[in-house]
């Protein structure tokens, strides 16, 4: 009783307050800016804007500056010939009339800089925070602001696909999406990777490292130019084409958006833009993230809200992304940023003075605006804390996200593989981790995260099979016990996570076929090598290697979900998590899943509970030869239920769950499907 009262007090005290703060912000937007629609279109007035007569209108916010000038190729880099006029609220404006021939004063693809004169006499050279394109010469470290205004910009042809009911996400990094040791391009992704994603049955792509970042090895999380699509992969038009072609395939595209912090770079970043340490950010120490060595936004600042909310609108409008995965939400929600804090689930951890209300309201505002303007928009939160109501509508006092990442699941699989022998796997603990989510809040389940592939750790496939992946993956030789165990477990872990772990599923590029190696981007410590900064799709295309068997299983797993829709169904009913037998049984969306994780036992005439009575048939079987299995199940067998309640289900039936005793560690799984329509 005490616990229920305790939770109720928090919900009645803080949830309404959060909603009131949101309402206050929306009212202020209406009063001062004419509403959020205009406010979030500020990318049309800030930076450089070409007017109908080809004059250029330039606008910046630099409240700490004494004077602002524009320099570049267009005026032979004269530092004083084109001053901005000072306006109120720290704004600066400049108008450049067209040339004598009527063309714009600044040519497409020419370089620019903002010259900032500070109060203490410094002269700083800066890139506009609203720059739409920045590039770097191979010989230099600093990025250049390049004016992007093509005479014939890319025009999207295909409409956005409808929001999927079951979200199957392929998380991808454009730069590593090729077997070649180099930075791969948008065009390569469009031509060579999109068809694979479509074939695999994913209906959503989550693109990482798109917002421009000066340091490639930061994996795209230290942003320098928020409105610029990374030029290292190609031009803005090539990214637009990538998204357009994905839409033509019925695939939605999400941007991995980083609004939780910004890179500390000054000459090609936001930091110290106007010479002060508090332009876009809180002054230190509040404005610095001690672990990430980056700057933290001041979400209470009107102009910061304008910048970030317009940034979301820009990616939706200009590039036609279909939504966002918000990075670092835990860091945003709490003043402690999650540093040195373990979240136990106690409500004291989620409410109170340690919660950063400014950023919490920013996230509510972002979700409210996005879902109002784009009803099919998808937003996903990366939050490790388990903040309540994160994925409830803002009208309910929630933060408004559609999904949260189930971050405990990949951690659990890695922990199991690192710390436990096969015979010591705890079925109850696995099921608890996969099903432990807040009721009514959707989760994205994933078996392994991109962090686990980064240098210092290994992919699941590498944890399972390690160096034998280099020598024993050929189908021309008998499977070794290690490869046999690894291939079977790789499939089982994925399907168990897919079926039980959430309302959406995510796979990181290459992991679907058991990519053998970790990720390590070019850096000083590895002599700038691209050897591990690539995905070896050539392994899948080599017929005599077993990678294609894992690929085929991943494809058919997604296609089965597309047909039966368990991700969009209510949570599963787990009827068995038998520690002695190492068997997990559950049903969801009229599909019965049966997993045998026992190291060395098969089971004949094994009784399993099922709700719907009738005839059942095998629809997906990880033991099929084409998936690297042993082909011991007869798919022509019909299974009939008996009116014998079992393990909390109204009916039950007898099945065989095979295993092979001469391979000590082989595990086999299959699942059966039965719907009333088939009875």
């Amino acid at each position: 009783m005490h616990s229920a009262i305790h939770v109720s007090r928090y919900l009645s005290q803080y949830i309404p307050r959060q909603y009131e703060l949101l309402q206050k912000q929306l009212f202020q937007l209406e009063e001062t800016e004419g509403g959020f629609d205009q406010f979030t279109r500020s990318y049309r007035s800030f930076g450089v804007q070409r007017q109908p007569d080809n004059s250029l209108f330039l606008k910046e916010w630099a409240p700490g500056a004494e004077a602002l000038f524009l320099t570049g190729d267009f005026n032979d880099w004269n530092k004083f010939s084109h001053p901005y006029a000072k306006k109120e609220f720290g704004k600066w404006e400049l108008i450049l009339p067209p040339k004598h021939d009527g063309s714009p004063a600044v040519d497409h693809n020419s370089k620019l800089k903002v010259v900032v004169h500070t109060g203490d006499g410094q002269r700083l050279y800066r890139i506009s925070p609203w720059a739409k394109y920045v590039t770097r010469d191979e010989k230099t470290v600093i990025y250049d602001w390049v004016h992007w205004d093509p005479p014939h910009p890319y025009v999207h042809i295909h409409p956005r696909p409808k929001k999927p009911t079951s979200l199957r996400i392929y998380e991808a990094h454009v730069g590593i999406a090729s077997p070649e040791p180099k930075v791969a391009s948008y065009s390569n992704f469009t031509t060579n990777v999109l068809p694979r994603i479509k074939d695999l049955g994913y209906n959503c792509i989550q693109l990482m490292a798109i917002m421009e970042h000066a340091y490639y090895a930061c994996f795209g999380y230290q942003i320098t130019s928020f409105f610029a699509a990374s030029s290292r992969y190609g031009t803005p038009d090539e990214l637009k084409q990538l998204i357009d072609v994905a839409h033509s395939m019925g695939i939605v595209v999400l941007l991995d958006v980083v609004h939780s912090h910004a890179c500390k770079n000054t000459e090609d970043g936001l930091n110290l833009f106007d010479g002060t340490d508090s332009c876009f950010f809180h002054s230190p120490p509040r404005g610095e993230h001690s672990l990430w060595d980056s700057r933290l936004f001041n979400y209470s600042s009107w102009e910061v809200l304008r910048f970030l909310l317009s940034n979301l609108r820009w990616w939706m409008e200009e590039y036609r992304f279909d939504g966002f995965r918000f990075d670092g939400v835990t860091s945003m929600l709490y003043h402690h940023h999650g540093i040195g804090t373990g979240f136990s689930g106690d409500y004291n951890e989620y409410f109170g003075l340690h919660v950063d209300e400014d950023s919490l309201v920013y996230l509510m505002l972002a979700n409210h605006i996005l879902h109002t303007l784009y009803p099919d928009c998808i937003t996903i939160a990366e939050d490790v804390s388990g903040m309540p109501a994160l994925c409830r509508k803002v009208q309910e006092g929630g933060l408004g996200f559609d999904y949260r990442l189930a971050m405990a699941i990949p951690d659990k699989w890695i922990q199991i593989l690192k710390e436990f022998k096969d015979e010591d796997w705890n079925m109850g603990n696995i099921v608890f981790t996969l099903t432990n989510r807040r009721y009514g809040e959707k989760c994205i389940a994933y078996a392994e995260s991109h962090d686990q592939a980064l240098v210092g750790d290994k992919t699941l496939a590498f944890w399972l099979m390690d160096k034998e992946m280099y020598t024993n993956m050929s189908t021309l030789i008998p499977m070794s016990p290690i490869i046999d165990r690894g291939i079977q477990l790789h499939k089982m872990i994925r399907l168990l996570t897919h079926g039980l772990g959430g309302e959406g599923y995510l796979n990181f590029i290459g992991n679907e076929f058991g990519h053998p190696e970790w990720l390590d981007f070019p850096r000083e410590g590895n002599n700038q090598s691209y050897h591990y900064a690539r995905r070896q799709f050539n392994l899948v295309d080599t017929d005599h290697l077993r990678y294609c068997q894992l690929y085929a299983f991943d494809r058919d797993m997604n296609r089965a979900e597309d047909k039966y829709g368990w991700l969009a169904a209510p949570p599963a009913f787990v009827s068995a998590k038998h520690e002695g037998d190492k068997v997990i049984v559950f049903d969801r969306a009229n599909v019965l899943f049966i997993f045998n994780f026992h190291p060395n036992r098969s089971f004949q005439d094994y009784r399993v509970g099922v709700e719907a009575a009738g005839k059942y048939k095998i629809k997906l079987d990880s033991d099929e030869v084409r998936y690297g299995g042993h082909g011991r199940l007869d798919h022509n067998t019909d299974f009939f239920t008996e009116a014998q309640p079992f393990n909390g289900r109204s009916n039950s039936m007898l099945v065989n769950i095979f295993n092979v005793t001469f391979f000590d560690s082989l595990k086999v799984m299959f699942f059966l499907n039965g719907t009333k329509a088939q009875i």
Side-chain angles (χ1 to χ4, degrees), residues 359-377:
S359 53
L360 183 139
V361 172
Y362 165 69
L363 291 170
M364 293 177 77
L365 199 57
N367 276 309
H368 172 70
I369 291 170
L370 286 169
H371 289 102
T372 302
L373 295 171
Y374 315 98
D376 277 354
C377 177

Side-chain angles (χ1 to χ4, degrees), residues 479-489 628 630 663 666-667:
M479 270 200 289
S480 70
I482 286 174
I483 293 296
D484 201 350
R485 168 185 179 266
I487 281 181
Q488 312 320 328
L489 273 180
H630 299 272
F663 282 139
L666 180 69
K667 304 161 173 44

Side-chain angles (χ1 to χ4, degrees), residues 294-585:
S294 54
R295 296 303 314 270
L296 297 171
F297 287 106
N298 177 4
Y299 302 101
S300 66
S301 162
W302 196 254
E303 293 305 318
V304 171
L305 288 180
R306 182 194 306 279
F307 181 78
L308 294 176
L309 292 171
S310 296
N311 188 234
L312 296 174
R313 194 81 190 271
W314 162 259
W315 292 108
M316 292 293 288
E317 292 284 337
E318 184 72 13
Y319 287 93
R320 294 184 66 78
F321 278 95
D322 301 286
F324 303 95
R325 178 264 201 186
F326 280 74
D327 177 68
V329 167
T330 307
S331 175
M332 297 172 74
L333 289 175
Y334 308 97
H335 291 297
H336 54 63
H337 309 299
I339 299 171
T341 306
F343 292 95
S344 66
D346 189 296
Y347 273 67
N348 284 307
E349 297 164 351
Y350 305 122
F351 302 101
L353 295 177
H354 50 279
V355 173
D356 188 335
E357 283 189 336
D358 295 335
S359 53
L360 183 139
V361 172
Y362 165 69
L363 291 170
M364 293 177 77
L365 199 57
N367 276 309
H368 172 70
I369 291 170
L370 286 169
H371 289 102
T372 302
L373 295 171
Y374 315 98
D376 277 354
C377 177
I378 299 165
T379 59
I380 301 170
E382 188 217 20
D383 168 46
V384 73
S385 76
M387 167 67 82
L390 188 73
C391 301
R392 299 300 299 182
K393 293 178 181 177
V394 294
Q395 294 86 337
E396 302 170 357
L399 272 71
F401 286 98
D402 295 290
Y403 299 88
R404 73 193 321 148
L405 290 174
M407 299 178 73
I409 296 175
D411 290 346
K412 174 56 65 177
W413 286 124
I414 286 289
Q415 181 207 6
I416 289 170
L417 293 178
K418 280 183 179 179
E419 299 178 10
F420 294 97
K421 296 177 183 173
D422 292 353
E423 57 268 25
D424 295 332
W425 285 27
N426 186 308
M427 299 296 105
N429 186 248
I430 291 170
V431 168
F432 175 78
T433 303
L434 287 165
T435 56
N436 181 29
R437 50 190 185 270
R438 294 192 181 279
Y439 181 77
E441 298 194 43
K442 294 179 181 176
C443 285
I444 303 290
Y446 52 125
E448 54 186 315
S449 79
H450 59 242
D451 292 334
Q452 289 162 347
L454 286 167
V455 69
D457 211 326
K458 304 189 237 185
T459 63
L460 281 185
F462 223 46
W463 273 110
L464 288 163
M465 295 175 275
D466 210 80
K467 62 182 184 295
E468 289 209 16
M469 297 191 81
Y470 296 120
T471 55
N472 291 353
M473 285 295 275
S474 172
T475 58
L476 305 177
I477 59 173
M479 270 200 289
S480 70
I482 286 174
I483 293 296
D484 201 350
R485 168 185 179 266
I487 281 181
Q488 312 320 328
L489 273 180
H490 193 272
K491 293 176 289 187
M492 293 172 70
I493 287 170
R494 276 172 156 61
L495 184 60
L496 183 57
T497 303
H498 205 304
L500 196 57
E503 290 69 37
Y505 177 77
L506 178 143
N507 168 73
F508 179 65
I509 181 172
N511 289 350
E512 72 278 5
F513 62 82
H515 201 281
E517 290 169 343
W518 56 87
L519 276 167
D520 187 13
F521 281 71
R523 55 189 174 85
E524 280 186 23
N526 64 15
N527 295 316
Q528 304 299 330
S529 170
Y530 284 91
H531 181 74
Y532 294 112
R534 60 196 179 110
R535 297 280 90 174
Q536 298 179 65
F537 290 113
N538 53 298
L539 296 174
V540 179
D541 299 333
T542 307
D543 291 342
H544 70 269
L545 293 180
R546 297 193 181 277
Y547 298 100
C548 64
Q549 297 172 339
L550 294 175
Y551 177 99
F553 182 78
D554 195 271
R555 177 195 65 210
D556 291 353
M557 173 176 72
N558 281 320
R559 290 181 180 180
E561 197 291 324
D562 190 55
K563 183 174 181 180
Y564 300 109
W566 58 75
L567 288 170
F573 183 94
V574 181
S575 58
K577 41 189 175 183
H578 198 291
E579 297 303 340
D581 297 342
K582 300 297 181 198
V583 168
I584 294 172
V585 181

